[in-house]
């Protein structure tokens, strides 16, 4: 018997083998199906998927055996990974100097062997897809081709599992980072709310007490401080709502009437300008996440009011139920949105650049939060608009 030598790049090869995290793992149906199929095609009693480790041959799948590893120094696969041929065949191991007196030949009657190297994308042989028989024999051309083809599929499974594992690790890292960001945003936002409120109150107190001592420019500065504080406070509120949207979307569903919800939202908006809001003619009994839906509609109707330059604002709201979804449409006669801005309107921190009716610029948080909530509720949202004419938002949420 001759023990197999080590490849010249053994250190790198072993690193590749271990990068797949398959050593010492349990059998898997995908691999077992392949070894079972190969055994049938080649008409042999034993078929294996092996990984050649530093000092052992680990059997990821073993058809016809009841153990999952053997010493590397007696393995046929240790020799097979050294060969450049497409398939390594030993027709009668009893006559081959490399395998004479090999315990596998003597004790298991491993007489015939055929193995195809499992070569990964970096060119390293990780192990083999191989078959054994207890008698001397040959393989037909079609059997050889099948063995080579199935080895290719084994490598594909290796690579797919490695990619999936890496993607899961990246996903977990992103989730951890997002959670850290949410916590950071929550802490910072809450900590900033009180100082901003103090700035607003202080600016009012200064103007009330010292307005007569300040010139026009001084009073304008105080007003600027107050309005800037309000803007930053609104930004922080929007940021908190965005990062709390996951919690909002997970709240328990309720049963309620669609028009009751819409009327409550209109009251919350406390509209003090000339505005006509047309509610749906049909009142629908809904079962959905009321809090999330309220936040969605409150944001969209709020935008209809803010981004409207008409003397009389008109808002039309429609609500229907169809094929397991609630469908909403909210249209206005406002400023409209540029066509080249529509594709990015729901991206976080993206704004149209248009000032609202009070001369303020949006922060790009509200519509991103709306899109996030709609998606979490199993629906979709889209927007259409004509500049100077108005905008229509249409969204759906899944019926529970």
């Amino acid at each position: 018997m001759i023990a197999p030598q080590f490849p010249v790049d053994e250190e790198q090869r072993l690193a590749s083998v271990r990068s797949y995290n398959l050593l010492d793992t349990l059998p898997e149906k995908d691999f077992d199906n392949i070894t079972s199929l190969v055994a049938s095609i080649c008409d042999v009693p034993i078929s294996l998927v092996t990984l050649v480790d530093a000092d052992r041959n680990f059997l990821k799948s073993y058809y016809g055996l009841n153990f999952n590893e053997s010493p590397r120094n007696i393995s046929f696969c240790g020799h097979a990974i050294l060969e450049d041929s497409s398939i390594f065949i030993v027709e009668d191991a009893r006559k081959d100097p490399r395998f004479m007196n090999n315990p596998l030949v003597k004790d298991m009657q491993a007489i015939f062997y055929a193995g195809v190297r499992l070569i990964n994308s970096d060119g390293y042989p990780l192990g083999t897809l191989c078959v054994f028989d207890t008698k001397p024999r040959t393989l037909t051309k079609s059997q050889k081709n099948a063995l080579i083809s199935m080895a290719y599929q084994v490598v594909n499974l290796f690579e797919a599992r490695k990619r999936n594992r890496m993607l899961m690790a990246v996903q977990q890292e992103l989730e951890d980072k997002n959670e850290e960001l949410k916590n950071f945003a929550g802490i910072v936002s809450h900590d900033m709310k009180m100082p901003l409120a103090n700035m607003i109150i202080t600016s009012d107190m200064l103007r009330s007490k010292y307005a007569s001592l300040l010139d026009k420019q001084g009073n304008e500065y105080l007003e600027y401080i107050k309005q800037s504080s309000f803007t930053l406070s609104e930004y922080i509120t929007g940021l908190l709502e965005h990062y709390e949207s996951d919690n909002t979307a997970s709240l328990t569903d309720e049963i309620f009437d669609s028009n009751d919800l819409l009327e409550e939202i209109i009251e919350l908006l406390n509209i003090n300008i000339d505005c006509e809001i047309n509610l749906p003619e049909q009142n629908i009994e809904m079962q959905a996440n009321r809090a999330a839906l309220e936040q969605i509609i409150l944001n969209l109707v709020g935008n209809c009011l803010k981004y409207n330059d008409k003397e009389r604002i008109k808002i039309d709201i429609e609500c229907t139920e169809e094929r397991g979804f609630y469908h909403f449409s909210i249209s206005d006669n406002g400023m409209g949105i540029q066509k080249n801005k529509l594709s990015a309107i729901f991206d976080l921190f993206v704004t149209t650049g248009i000032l609202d009716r009070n001369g303020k610029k949006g922060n790009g948080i509200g519509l991103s939060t709306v899109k996030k909530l709609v998606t979490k509720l199993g629906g979709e949202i889209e927007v259409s608009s004509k500049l100077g004419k108005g905008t229509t938002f249409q969204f759906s949420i899944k019926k529970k």
Side-chain angles (χ1 to χ4, degrees), residues 151-176:
Y152 180 78
Q153 295 305 318
V154 171
V155 175
N156 282 345
L157 286 174
F158 284 177
E159 298 290 352
R161 276 157 174 71
K162 186 176 183 179
R163 285 193 298 270
N164 287 341
R165 194 181 72 254
M166 292 172 66
L167 286 172
M168 289 175 65
V170 170
Q171 182 180 3
Q172 185 61 52
E173 184 179 356
L174 288 173
E175 288 176 357
D176 293 342

Side-chain angles (χ1 to χ4, degrees), residues 146-257:
L147 194 57
I148 293 169
S149 296
M150 296 309 292
Y152 180 78
Q153 295 305 318
V154 171
V155 175
N156 282 345
L157 286 174
F158 284 177
E159 298 290 352
R161 276 157 174 71
K162 186 176 183 179
R163 285 193 298 270
N164 287 341
R165 194 181 72 254
M166 292 172 66
L167 286 172
M168 289 175 65
V170 170
Q171 182 180 3
Q172 185 61 52
E173 184 179 356
L174 288 173
E175 288 176 357
D176 293 342
K177 294 292 185 184
N178 188 52
E179 191 62 32
E180 289 177 12
L181 182 59
K182 284 170 63 176
N183 293 335
F184 175 76
I187 292 170
V188 171
S189 299
H190 282 114
D191 288 349
M192 289 179 68
K193 287 286 248 182
M194 185 57 70
L196 284 170
N198 290 337
M199 288 172 66
I200 294 168
I201 294 170
T202 302
S203 63
D204 281 340
M205 290 175 62
L206 286 171
R207 186 162 50 186
S208 174
K209 190 170 184 178
Y210 300 106
S212 60
L213 302 177
L214 297 173
D215 58 14
K216 181 181 178 182
Q217 191 174 37
N219 279 287
E220 287 177 353
Y221 284 155
L222 284 177
E223 181 63 21
Y224 178 75
I225 291 172
K226 181 179 178 179
Q227 293 305 320
S228 296
S229 299
F230 270 124
T231 299
L232 186 54
S233 181
E234 289 173 3
Y235 186 89
I236 290 170
T237 299
L239 201 60
L240 282 171
E241 288 178 352
H242 181 81
Y243 284 112
E244 287 295 326
S245 59
D246 286 339
N247 294 333
T248 304
S250 63
L251 293 175
T252 305
D253 294 330
E254 302 176 43
I255 297 175
F256 55 92
D257 290 336

Side-chain angles (χ1 to χ4, degrees), residues 1-3 79 92-102:
M1 187 193 84
I2 301 173
H79 289 279
D92 190 341
R94 297 168 301 183
K95 300 178 180 179
D96 191 312
R98 293 169 295 185
F99 305 106
M100 288 178 179
N101 300 318
N102 186 306

